[in-house]
Amino acid sequence: MPITPPALRPGDQVAIVGTARKVSFEEMAAAVEILTGWGLRVVLGESITAEHHQFAGPDELRARDLQQQLDNPDIRAVICARGGYGTTRIIDQLDFSGFARHPKWIAGFSDITALNCHLLRLGYESIHGVMAFIFNQTGGDESLESLRRALFGESVSYSAPAHPLNRFGTAVGELVGGNLSLLQNLTGTASDCPTAGRILFLEDIAEYLMNVDRMLVHLDRTGKLRDLAGLLVGHFTDPQDNAIPFGQTAYEIIDTYARKYNFPVAYSFPVGHEPQNMALICGRRARLVVGAQGTRLEYAD
Amino acid sequence: MPITPPALRPGDQVAIVGTARKVSFEEMAAAVEILTGWGLRVVLGESITAEHHQFAGPDELRARDLQQQLDNPDIRAVICARGGYGTTRIIDQLDFSGFARHPKWIAGFSDITALNCHLLRLGYESIHGVMAFIFNQTGGDESLESLRRALFGESVSYSAPAHPLNRFGTAVGELVGGNLSLLQNLTGTASDCPTAGRILFLEDIAEYLMNVDRMLVHLDRTGKLRDLAGLLVGHFTDPQDNAIPFGQTAYEIIDTYARKYNFPVAYSFPVGHEPQNMALICGRRARLVVGAQGTRLEYAD
């Protein structure tokens, strides 16, 4: 059973760190204000406002910043600034021994799937949820509130309306997943997570449908679908297509592979690159119920 | 040491099979004429002219067609019709026991990297080279002749001009590689090839530079670069970039990771999605010499 970092309490200190794409000071202002409003003290890591091409500073700087926050026992959570790309470039340079002495919440999604999976592989829960860059996005209040509840250890449960491709059933298992492209990119690395007996969640953005299919084939060929307890499919936002259309939507593609097996599957789950992006605790045992009335996910403990 | 299929002889029968993207009869005409001109008898598989969205027929049809050619001892080589996407969808359905009794050459590249790697994993050489669809491409005479020589067991050697990023040295090892996206997509599957002690070759087309970097990080994190004998870098055609430029060319990205190690590296090698796409025999032991005068690759036996 993965280790749960301590819940935040008012007065705690949290850090915002850029592990991937660069952000400006202005882009962090709303997050600082909101986190402060939650009673937290906010530290901006040296990666915030740092720049190296697309990245929030060179690899060395981003790794050093995150390392410092991991090592500092007074920092009780790390909120990732933004996704994009760059986390896998630094992940093997990190030393989690300080973190292991004082586990803390780390939150993010998209490129941060790399950290979520790496932490789960090491035996720790982490949060797949909205990042500092989009704390003030229009329509994102519920997502932000779900992140707050997850950080402060308050109970959460989520529901989604029925979807015609849903496959009914009940599953109990630890949550694992995130961005499909990142999951592919972690295959066979030190950050790769087993999925057997777990509830896998998937989302992606701006992917060619052909490539969604290719990545599903990859997931399936590595045995990652076969032994799932259940599957949650979030947003596949802004799909791209070829001159000759692929002929299936992203959900239809996923259905093709999911129906080889018998686990329950829920589509249109509110996770991914849209304002409805509920915080999911990676590694937490959850109960998924998919039925005619829709989908319900709650933690099993 | 991988098994070498028998060289073709005039009068032999070869099949053209579509394992990936669909092709028309007209698109195969030049290949049929050229292969016939080489003294071969050409069989068009049932996948040729078959259609299922982007594919040369449904998975079942493409798998059945390739299986039939693999099993038929009178078919002495399979020339893949075209790349695109689709080969990984059928590869685990194939039975190579008939092929093992009567090994034969299989030739293709791009999406066919999946077959090249799968065959090498099974212990057989295969050809990474031009496909039927582009047998008559402008400027492709030398590539086509290199495929003919490889199929007929004639000696081949290749050279490339000096490139400023080249890293000098000599390497001897079996050739392995192909399309970078496909290599990523094979990671951890039954088609994944070890690279240790081998000469890896890479090419890709229309990839975002960010994604080239991410795939190189993936290759490196799975240990696929660390123990290479040498690296051959072919065409990275039509690279895409983000609104914030990545800041490195594909070759500069590869150089970043290659120079962590000490093997020789040759850029601008004539392999990939351009007319200069020389046939490479996957699994064949080769000698790579990279020096001030340029690059030379010849088979070591």
Side-chain angles (χ1 to χ4, degrees):
Chain A
M1 201 101 131
I3 291 166
T4 304
L8 290 186
R9 290 177 303 185
D12 278 350
Q13 213 174 170
V14 303
I16 301 179
V17 172
T19 62
R21 191 158 167 186
K22 63 185 175 187
V23 290
S24 67
F25 184 74
E26 293 68 32
E27 286 167 338
M28 295 294 99
V32 172
E33 193 185 323
I34 289 166
L35 290 166
T36 306
W38 293 352
L40 302 169
R41 290 174 295 147
V42 182
V43 173
L44 292 182
E46 66 168 315
S47 57
I48 303 304
T49 74
E51 285 191 38
H52 179 72
H53 302 290
Q54 300 183 3
F55 303 117
D59 289 358
E60 298 67 31
L61 185 152
R62 300 194 323 281
R64 182 173 65 226
D65 188 4
L66 181 52
Q67 187 67 58
Q68 214 155 33
Q69 316 305 339
L70 290 175
D71 290 344
N72 184 347
D74 295 333
I75 295 293
R76 310 306 301 265
V78 174
I79 312 293
C80 293
R82 188 173 189 176
Y85 166 58
T87 308
T88 55
R89 286 170 58 121
I90 62 170
I91 207 160
D92 289 331
Q93 297 160 40
L94 299 171
D95 173 356
F96 287 88
S97 56
F99 171 87
R101 281 191 293 278
H102 307 280
K104 61 192 75 185
W105 287 112
I106 296 179
F109 78 110
S110 196
D111 192 57
I112 312 302
T113 295
L115 266 174
N116 291 133
C117 288
H118 196 79
L119 287 162
L120 184 51
R121 175 75 174 261
L122 294 175
Y124 297 92
E125 292 181 353
S126 68
I127 298 172
H128 183 277
V130 292
M131 292 178 285
F133 180 71
I134 50 169
F135 263 34
N136 59 342
Q137 69 184 328
T138 307
D141 291 354
E142 208 185 340
S143 305
L144 189 64
E145 170 63 7
S146 74
L147 174 64
R148 190 196 64 75
R149 294 183 70 88
L151 286 167
F152 282 84
E154 300 176 18
S155 71
V156 283
S157 67
Y158 304 122
S159 56
H163 187 282
L165 291 175
N166 278 359
R167 289 166 65 79
F168 297 168
T170 298
V172 175
E174 293 166 0
L175 290 169
V176 59
N179 183 272
L180 177 59
S181 304
L182 258 294
L183 292 177
Q184 163 164 268
N185 199 257
L186 301 177
T187 306
T189 72
S191 313
D192 194 5
C193 279
T195 61
R198 286 176 163 165
I199 297 172
L200 177 66
F201 61 96
L202 299 175
E203 66 88 23
D204 217 326
I205 183 168
E207 273 298 339
Y208 278 86
L209 293 167
M210 186 195 95
N211 202 26
V212 170
D213 191 83
R214 193 163 70 174
M215 292 191 286
L216 260 293
V217 169
H218 191 195
L219 260 188
D220 196 25
R221 295 192 72 207
T222 56
K224 290 265 173 65
L225 298 181
R226 194 181 50 220
D227 300 316
L228 285 184
L231 180 63
L232 283 175
V233 186
H235 310 306
F236 276 71
T237 303
D238 192 18
Q240 308 292 304
D241 209 348
N242 300 109
I244 308 170
F246 189 78
Q248 288 183 301
T249 65
Y251 282 7
E252 287 166 350
I253 290 167
I254 294 169
D255 176 62
T256 305
Y257 299 99
R259 65 170 52 248
K260 291 174 64 180
Y261 309 105
N262 286 314
F263 46 76
V265 187
Y267 295 86
S268 284
F269 196 79
V271 65
H273 282 81
E274 294 180 20
Q276 293 284 301
N277 180 19
M278 301 305 163
L280 292 178
I281 299 177
C282 297
R284 179 72 58 88
R285 226 166 106 85
R287 175 176 293 104
L288 168 68
V289 181
V290 189
Q293 305 311 310
T295 298
R296 186 162 178 84
L297 182 80
E298 55 195 10
Y299 293 111
D301 304 331
Chain B
M1 202 101 129
I3 292 164
T4 304
L8 291 185
R9 290 175 305 185
D12 278 350
Q13 212 173 170
V14 302
I16 301 179
V17 172
T19 63
R21 191 160 168 185
K22 63 185 174 187
V23 290
S24 67
F25 185 75
E26 293 69 32
E27 287 167 337
M28 297 293 99
V32 172
E33 193 185 323
I34 289 165
L35 290 166
T36 307
W38 292 353
L40 302 169
R41 290 173 296 145
V42 183
V43 172
L44 293 182
E46 67 169 313
S47 57
I48 303 305
T49 75
E51 284 190 38
H52 180 71
H53 302 290
Q54 301 183 2
F55 303 117
D59 289 359
E60 298 66 32
L61 185 152
R62 301 195 322 280
R64 181 173 65 227
D65 187 5
L66 181 53
Q67 187 66 58
Q68 213 156 34
Q69 316 306 339
L70 290 174
D71 289 344
N72 184 347
D74 295 334
I75 296 293
R76 310 306 301 264
V78 174
I79 312 293
C80 293
R82 188 171 188 178
Y85 166 57
T87 307
T88 55
R89 285 170 59 120
I90 62 169
I91 207 160
D92 289 331
Q93 297 160 40
L94 299 171
D95 172 358
F96 287 89
S97 56
F99 171 88
R101 280 191 293 277
H102 306 282
K104 61 192 74 184
W105 286 112
I106 296 180
F109 76 110
S110 197
D111 192 57
I112 312 303
T113 295
L115 266 174
N116 291 133
C117 287
H118 196 80
L119 287 161
L120 184 51
R121 174 76 173 262
L122 295 175
Y124 297 91
E125 292 181 353
S126 68
I127 298 172
H128 183 277
V130 291
M131 292 178 284
F133 180 72
I134 51 169
F135 263 33
N136 58 343
Q137 68 184 328
T138 307
D141 291 356
E142 209 185 338
S143 305
L144 190 64
E145 170 64 7
S146 74
L147 174 64
R148 191 196 63 74
R149 294 182 71 88
L151 286 167
F152 282 84
E154 300 177 17
S155 70
V156 283
S157 66
Y158 303 121
S159 57
H163 187 282
L165 291 175
N166 279 359
R167 290 168 62 81
F168 297 168
T170 298
V172 176
E174 292 166 2
L175 291 169
V176 59
N179 183 272
L180 177 59
S181 304
L182 258 295
L183 292 176
Q184 163 164 266
N185 200 255
L186 302 177
T187 306
T189 73
S191 313
D192 194 5
C193 278
T195 60
R198 285 176 162 164
I199 297 171
L200 177 67
F201 62 96
L202 299 175
E203 66 88 22
D204 217 324
I205 183 168
E207 273 299 340
Y208 278 86
L209 292 167
M210 187 195 95
N211 202 26
V212 170
D213 191 83
R214 193 162 70 172
M215 292 191 287
L216 260 292
V217 169
H218 191 195
L219 260 188
D220 195 23
R221 295 192 72 208
T222 57
K224 290 265 173 64
L225 297 181
R226 194 181 51 221
D227 300 316
L228 285 184
L231 180 63
L232 284 175
V233 186
H235 311 305
F236 277 71
T237 303
D238 192 18
Q240 308 292 304
D241 208 348
N242 300 109
I244 308 168
F246 189 78
Q248 288 183 300
T249 65
Y251 282 7
E252 287 166 349
I253 290 168
I254 294 170
D255 176 61
T256 305
Y257 299 98
R259 64 170 53 248
K260 291 174 63 179
Y261 309 104
N262 286 315
F263 46 75
V265 187
Y267 295 86
S268 285
F269 196 79
V271 65
H273 282 80
E274 292 179 20
Q276 293 283 302
N277 180 18
M278 301 305 163
L280 292 179
I281 299 177
C282 296
R284 179 72 58 89
R285 227 167 104 85
R287 175 177 292 103
L288 168 67
V289 181
V290 189
Q293 304 311 309
T295 299
R296 188 163 176 82
L297 182 80
E298 55 195 11
Y299 294 110
D301 304 329

